[in-house]
Protein backbone atom coordinates (compact mmCIF):
# COMPACT_ATOMS: atom_id res chain seq x y z
CA UNK A 1 0.00 0.00 0.00
CA UNK A 2 1.55 3.28 -1.11
CA UNK A 3 1.94 6.07 1.48
CA UNK A 4 2.89 9.70 0.87
CA UNK A 5 4.25 12.06 3.52
CA UNK A 6 2.30 15.32 3.80
CA UNK A 7 2.75 18.30 6.12
CA UNK A 8 -0.26 19.34 8.26
CA UNK A 9 -1.31 22.79 9.38
CA UNK A 10 0.39 22.65 12.80
CA UNK A 11 3.73 21.84 11.12
CA UNK A 12 3.71 18.12 11.98
CA UNK A 13 3.48 15.46 9.27
CA UNK A 14 1.08 12.68 8.42
CA UNK A 15 0.81 9.93 5.82
CA UNK A 16 -1.63 9.90 2.91
CA UNK A 17 -2.85 6.59 1.43
CA UNK A 18 -3.93 7.18 -2.22
CA UNK A 19 -5.60 3.76 -2.42
CA UNK A 20 -8.04 4.80 0.34
CA UNK A 21 -7.89 8.55 -0.30
CA UNK A 22 -7.29 8.82 3.44
CA UNK A 23 -4.78 10.37 5.87
CA UNK A 24 -3.40 8.76 9.02
CA UNK A 25 -4.01 12.00 10.95
CA UNK A 26 -5.94 15.24 10.56
CA UNK A 27 -4.54 17.59 7.91
CA UNK A 28 -5.42 20.41 10.31
CA UNK A 29 -2.67 19.20 12.64
CA UNK A 30 -1.47 15.66 13.26
CA UNK A 31 0.20 16.20 16.62
CA UNK A 32 -2.48 18.64 17.81
CA UNK A 33 -5.21 16.12 17.02
CA UNK A 34 -3.53 13.19 18.76
CA UNK A 35 -2.64 15.23 21.85
CA UNK A 36 -6.18 16.51 22.26
CA UNK A 37 -8.19 13.35 21.54
CA UNK A 38 -6.08 10.63 23.10
CA UNK A 39 -3.96 12.35 25.77
CA UNK A 40 -5.97 15.35 27.01
CA UNK A 41 -9.45 13.79 26.61
CA UNK A 42 -8.35 10.20 27.25
CA UNK A 43 -5.25 9.49 29.31
CA UNK A 44 -5.52 12.59 31.51
CA UNK A 45 -9.22 11.88 32.11
CA UNK A 46 -8.51 8.38 33.42
CA UNK A 47 -8.30 7.91 37.18
CA UNK A 48 -6.34 4.65 36.82
CA UNK A 49 -3.14 4.68 38.86
CA UNK A 50 -1.31 2.50 36.33
CA UNK A 51 -3.30 2.80 33.08
CA UNK A 52 -3.42 -0.07 30.63
CA UNK A 53 -3.94 1.33 27.13
CA UNK A 54 -5.13 -0.50 24.02
CA UNK A 55 -4.67 1.32 20.71
CA UNK A 56 -6.62 0.15 17.68
CA UNK A 57 -4.34 1.27 14.84
CA UNK A 58 -0.73 1.75 16.03
CA UNK A 59 0.13 3.41 12.69
CA UNK A 60 2.86 6.04 12.94
CA UNK A 61 3.30 5.52 16.67
CA UNK A 62 2.45 9.16 17.38
CA UNK A 63 -0.23 8.31 19.95
CA UNK A 64 2.14 5.92 21.70
CA UNK A 65 4.92 8.50 21.77
CA UNK A 66 2.69 11.21 23.23
CA UNK A 67 1.51 8.69 25.84
CA UNK A 68 5.13 7.91 26.73
CA UNK A 69 5.87 11.62 27.14
CA UNK A 70 2.83 12.06 29.40
CA UNK A 71 3.75 8.97 31.44
CA UNK A 72 7.16 10.48 32.15
CA UNK A 73 5.65 13.86 33.06
CA UNK A 74 2.99 12.40 35.35
CA UNK A 75 5.01 9.54 36.83
CA UNK A 76 2.17 7.07 36.16
CA UNK A 77 3.21 3.63 34.93
CA UNK A 78 1.55 2.94 31.57
CA UNK A 79 1.26 -0.45 29.90
CA UNK A 80 0.58 0.18 26.20
CA UNK A 81 -0.67 -2.40 23.70
CA UNK A 82 -0.81 -1.33 20.06
CA UNK A 83 -2.57 -3.40 17.38
CA UNK A 84 -1.46 -2.90 13.79
CA UNK A 85 -2.01 -5.22 10.86
CA UNK A 86 0.28 -3.31 8.48
CA UNK A 87 3.34 -2.02 10.39
CA UNK A 88 5.29 0.89 8.94
CA UNK A 89 9.04 0.72 8.42
CA UNK A 90 11.31 2.90 10.54
CA UNK A 91 12.79 4.48 7.39
CA UNK A 92 9.39 6.04 6.62
CA UNK A 93 8.57 6.93 10.22
CA UNK A 94 11.90 8.73 10.58
CA UNK A 95 10.98 11.06 7.71
CA UNK A 96 7.90 12.30 9.57
CA UNK A 97 10.22 14.15 11.99
CA UNK A 98 7.94 13.75 14.99
CA UNK A 99 11.11 13.87 17.07
CA UNK A 100 14.17 15.94 16.09
CA UNK A 101 17.79 14.93 16.52
CA UNK A 102 18.45 17.61 19.14
CA UNK A 103 15.27 16.99 21.18
CA UNK A 104 15.61 15.67 24.71
CA UNK A 105 13.11 13.85 26.90
CA UNK A 106 13.25 13.52 30.68
CA UNK A 107 13.22 9.86 31.71
CA UNK A 108 13.31 9.02 35.41
CA UNK A 109 14.64 12.49 36.15
CA UNK A 110 17.44 12.35 33.60
CA UNK A 111 17.73 13.80 30.09
CA UNK A 112 17.78 11.30 27.22
CA UNK A 113 18.05 11.75 23.45
CA UNK A 114 14.46 11.60 22.27
CA UNK A 115 15.15 10.27 18.76
CA UNK A 116 16.87 7.16 20.16
CA UNK A 117 13.88 6.40 22.39
CA UNK A 118 11.43 7.08 19.55
CA UNK A 119 13.37 4.68 17.34
CA UNK A 120 13.23 2.00 20.04
CA UNK A 121 9.46 2.42 20.13
CA UNK A 122 9.29 1.49 16.44
CA UNK A 123 12.09 -1.06 16.15
CA UNK A 124 11.39 -3.02 19.34
CA UNK A 125 10.25 -6.62 18.74
CA UNK A 126 6.61 -7.34 17.98
CA UNK A 127 4.60 -9.68 20.21
CA UNK A 128 6.90 -8.95 23.18
CA UNK A 129 6.65 -6.67 26.20
CA UNK A 130 9.42 -4.06 26.17
CA UNK A 131 10.07 -1.62 29.01
CA UNK A 132 11.10 1.51 27.12
CA UNK A 133 11.24 3.65 30.26
CA UNK A 134 10.53 2.99 33.94
CA UNK A 135 7.03 4.40 33.34
CA UNK A 136 6.19 3.02 29.89
CA UNK A 137 5.96 -0.61 28.81
CA UNK A 138 5.08 -1.36 25.18
CA UNK A 139 3.65 -4.40 23.48
CA UNK A 140 3.02 -4.22 19.73
CA UNK A 141 0.79 -6.88 18.18
CA UNK A 142 0.62 -7.41 14.43
CA UNK A 143 -2.94 -8.62 14.14
CA UNK A 144 -6.35 -7.70 12.79
CA UNK A 145 -8.63 -6.81 15.68
CA UNK A 146 -11.64 -8.13 13.74
CA UNK A 147 -10.19 -11.66 14.06
CA UNK A 148 -9.90 -11.56 17.83
CA UNK A 149 -12.46 -13.40 19.95
CA UNK A 150 -12.99 -14.05 23.65
CA UNK A 151 -12.25 -17.59 24.83
CA UNK A 152 -12.11 -18.67 28.48
CA UNK A 153 -11.48 -15.14 29.69
CA UNK A 154 -8.75 -14.42 27.18
CA UNK A 155 -8.64 -12.77 23.79
CA UNK A 156 -7.47 -15.16 21.09
CA UNK A 157 -7.13 -14.91 17.35
CA UNK A 158 -9.42 -16.46 14.77
CA UNK A 159 -7.00 -17.24 11.93
CA UNK A 160 -8.50 -20.35 10.41
CA UNK A 161 -10.43 -20.53 7.14
CA UNK A 162 -13.53 -22.06 8.75
CA UNK A 163 -13.88 -19.32 11.36
CA UNK A 164 -12.87 -21.49 14.34
CA UNK A 165 -10.52 -20.38 17.08
CA UNK A 166 -6.87 -21.33 16.92
CA UNK A 167 -6.34 -22.29 20.56
CA UNK A 168 -2.59 -22.65 20.02
CA UNK A 169 -2.23 -18.89 19.57
CA UNK A 170 -1.01 -17.74 22.97
CA UNK A 171 1.06 -14.58 22.49
CA UNK A 172 -1.92 -12.33 23.30
CA UNK A 173 -2.82 -14.00 26.57
CA UNK A 174 -0.99 -11.72 28.99
CA UNK A 175 -2.10 -8.24 27.93
CA UNK A 176 -5.65 -9.31 27.08
CA UNK A 177 -6.36 -11.40 30.17
CA UNK A 178 -9.62 -10.20 31.68
CA UNK A 179 -8.03 -10.18 35.13
CA UNK A 180 -6.14 -7.11 33.93
CA UNK A 181 -8.64 -5.31 31.73
CA UNK A 182 -7.77 -2.15 29.86
CA UNK A 183 -8.44 1.28 31.30
CA UNK A 184 -8.25 3.13 27.99
CA UNK A 185 -8.94 2.41 24.34
CA UNK A 186 -7.57 4.74 21.69
CA UNK A 187 -9.82 4.01 18.73
CA UNK A 188 -7.84 5.38 15.78
CA UNK A 189 -8.91 3.27 12.80
CA UNK A 190 -9.38 4.83 9.37
CA UNK A 191 -12.69 6.66 8.88
CA UNK A 192 -15.94 4.62 8.72
CA UNK A 193 -16.47 5.40 5.04
CA UNK A 194 -12.94 4.16 4.26
CA UNK A 195 -12.82 1.14 6.58
CA UNK A 196 -16.44 0.32 7.52
CA UNK A 197 -15.60 -3.15 8.81
CA UNK A 198 -13.74 -1.55 11.74
CA UNK A 199 -16.82 0.37 12.90
CA UNK A 200 -19.29 -2.38 13.75
CA UNK A 201 -21.58 -3.09 16.68
CA UNK A 202 -19.81 -6.40 17.29
CA UNK A 203 -16.45 -4.69 17.58
CA UNK A 204 -17.69 -2.05 20.04
CA UNK A 205 -19.39 -4.76 22.09
CA UNK A 206 -16.05 -6.55 22.30
CA UNK A 207 -14.22 -3.40 23.35
CA UNK A 208 -16.78 -2.82 26.09
CA UNK A 209 -15.97 -6.23 27.56
CA UNK A 210 -12.24 -5.53 27.41
CA UNK A 211 -12.51 -2.30 29.39
CA UNK A 212 -12.43 -2.23 33.17
CA UNK A 213 -15.06 -0.36 35.18
CA UNK A 214 -14.70 3.40 34.56
CA UNK A 215 -12.67 2.60 31.44
CA UNK A 216 -12.57 5.19 28.66
CA UNK A 217 -12.70 4.94 24.87
CA UNK A 218 -11.83 8.01 22.80
CA UNK A 219 -12.15 8.49 19.06
CA UNK A 220 -11.99 11.34 16.58
CA UNK A 221 -15.22 10.19 14.88
CA UNK A 222 -18.36 11.88 16.20
CA UNK A 223 -20.84 10.49 13.66
CA UNK A 224 -24.29 9.77 15.07
CA UNK A 225 -24.18 6.13 13.99
CA UNK A 226 -20.91 5.58 15.90
CA UNK A 227 -22.30 7.28 19.01
CA UNK A 228 -25.41 5.08 18.88
CA UNK A 229 -23.35 1.88 18.50
CA UNK A 230 -21.24 2.85 21.52
CA UNK A 231 -24.40 3.48 23.53
CA UNK A 232 -25.88 0.16 22.41
CA UNK A 233 -22.71 -1.57 23.64
CA UNK A 234 -23.34 -0.08 27.09
CA UNK A 235 -21.15 3.02 27.09
CA UNK A 236 -22.07 6.43 28.46
CA UNK A 237 -21.07 8.69 25.56
CA UNK A 238 -20.02 12.34 25.60
CA UNK A 239 -19.63 14.66 22.65
CA UNK A 240 -16.64 16.89 23.39
CA UNK A 241 -15.08 19.84 21.55
CA UNK A 242 -12.60 18.74 18.90
CA UNK A 243 -8.94 19.81 18.65
CA UNK A 244 -8.09 23.47 17.94
CA UNK A 245 -8.65 24.22 14.27
CA UNK A 246 -9.81 20.66 13.59
CA UNK A 247 -13.02 18.64 13.90
CA UNK A 248 -15.87 20.36 15.70
CA UNK A 249 -16.59 17.38 17.98
CA UNK A 250 -15.06 14.10 19.13
CA UNK A 251 -16.46 11.23 21.22
CA UNK A 252 -15.49 9.94 24.63
CA UNK A 253 -17.22 6.82 25.93
CA UNK A 254 -17.10 5.50 29.51
CA UNK A 255 -17.90 2.11 30.96
CA UNK A 256 -19.64 2.71 34.29
CA UNK A 257 -20.96 -0.68 35.35
Amino acid sequence: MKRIIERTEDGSATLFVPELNEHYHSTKGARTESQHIFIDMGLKASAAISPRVLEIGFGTGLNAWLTLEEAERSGRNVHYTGLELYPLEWQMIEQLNYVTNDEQVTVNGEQQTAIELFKQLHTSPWEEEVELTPHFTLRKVQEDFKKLRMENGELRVNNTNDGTINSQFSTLNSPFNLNSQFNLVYFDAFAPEKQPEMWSQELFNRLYVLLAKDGILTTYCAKGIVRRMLQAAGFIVERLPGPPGGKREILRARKQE
Side-chain angles (χ1 to χ4, degrees):
M1 187 181 297
K2 184 179 180 181
R3 300 173 180 88
I4 300 170
I5 296 174
E6 292 187 2
R7 197 63 49 184
T8 68
E9 291 183 14
D10 68 357
S12 59
T14 189
L15 294 175
F16 175 67
V17 184
E19 181 179 332
L20 298 175
N21 190 30
E22 177 75 325
H23 292 85
Y24 273 66
H25 304 284
S26 170
T27 58
K28 300 294 184 180
R31 189 180 184 104
T32 299
E33 176 192 53
S34 292
Q35 177 70 36
H36 178 80
I37 298 172
F38 301 111
I39 308 304
D40 297 341
M41 298 296 107
L43 182 60
K44 290 182 180 180
S46 172
I49 297 174
S50 299
R52 296 178 64 85
V53 180
L54 171 64
E55 180 180 17
I56 308 298
F58 186 78
T60 65
L62 179 57
N63 297 336
W65 176 253
L66 295 175
T67 301
L68 183 154
E69 289 185 327
E70 179 58 29
E72 294 307 314
R73 279 192 293 265
S74 68
R76 288 200 292 176
N77 296 329
V78 175
H79 185 291
Y80 198 99
T81 299
L83 265 64
E84 179 59 57
L85 185 58
Y86 304 107
L88 298 169
E89 296 182 354
W90 166 246
Q91 289 75 9
M92 173 162 283
I93 295 295
E94 188 177 19
Q95 296 177 59
L96 295 173
N97 292 321
Y98 286 149
V99 178
T100 61
N101 289 327
D102 58 353
E103 189 175 343
Q104 300 286 308
V105 62
T106 302
V107 177
N108 211 25
E110 298 183 0
Q111 291 293 301
Q112 184 172 330
T113 303
I115 190 65
E116 294 179 359
L117 189 56
F118 187 60
K119 184 176 182 179
Q120 289 178 39
L121 185 147
H122 282 282
T123 59
S124 62
W126 289 74
E127 322 297 347
E128 295 181 17
E129 290 193 0
V130 179
E131 185 180 286
L132 293 181
T133 76
H135 296 300
F136 187 86
T137 299
L138 174 68
R139 185 184 183 107
K140 298 180 298 184
V141 179
Q142 186 176 356
E143 191 51 74
D144 184 352
F145 186 73
K146 300 190 303 298
K147 292 184 177 181
L148 301 178
R149 297 289 186 272
M150 296 306 304
E151 183 186 85
N152 299 324
E154 295 174 345
L155 201 63
R156 293 180 179 268
V157 68
N158 171 0
N159 59 0
T160 59
N161 292 330
D162 60 2
T164 60
I165 300 296
N166 180 355
S167 61
Q168 300 303 311
F169 189 87
S170 60
T171 60
L172 297 184
N173 290 356
S174 175
F176 288 109
N177 190 292
L178 288 182
N179 292 325
S180 53
Q181 290 170 299
F182 292 101
N183 307 106
L184 285 155
V185 171
Y186 295 170
F187 197 83
D188 202 17
F190 286 133
E193 60 270 22
K194 308 295 182 179
Q195 201 175 24
E197 69 277 8
M198 288 298 295
W199 302 80
S200 70
Q201 188 66 61
E202 180 187 3
L203 188 147
F204 287 125
N205 292 346
R206 212 175 308 158
L207 289 174
Y208 186 86
V209 172
L210 289 175
L211 275 169
K213 184 179 182 296
D214 297 322
I216 292 173
L217 179 151
T218 55
T219 180
Y220 63 87
C221 184
K223 289 180 179 292
I225 188 171
V226 173
R227 176 172 52 84
R228 290 188 289 273
M229 283 192 291
L230 287 167
Q231 291 171 330
F235 288 103
I236 305 299
V237 184
E238 304 171 83
R239 285 183 288 194
L240 301 174
K247 295 176 65 68
R248 185 169 61 89
E249 291 183 330
I250 64 170
L251 294 181
R252 179 169 65 197
R254 293 179 182 267
K255 178 178 179 177
Q256 294 190 336
E257 70 170 17

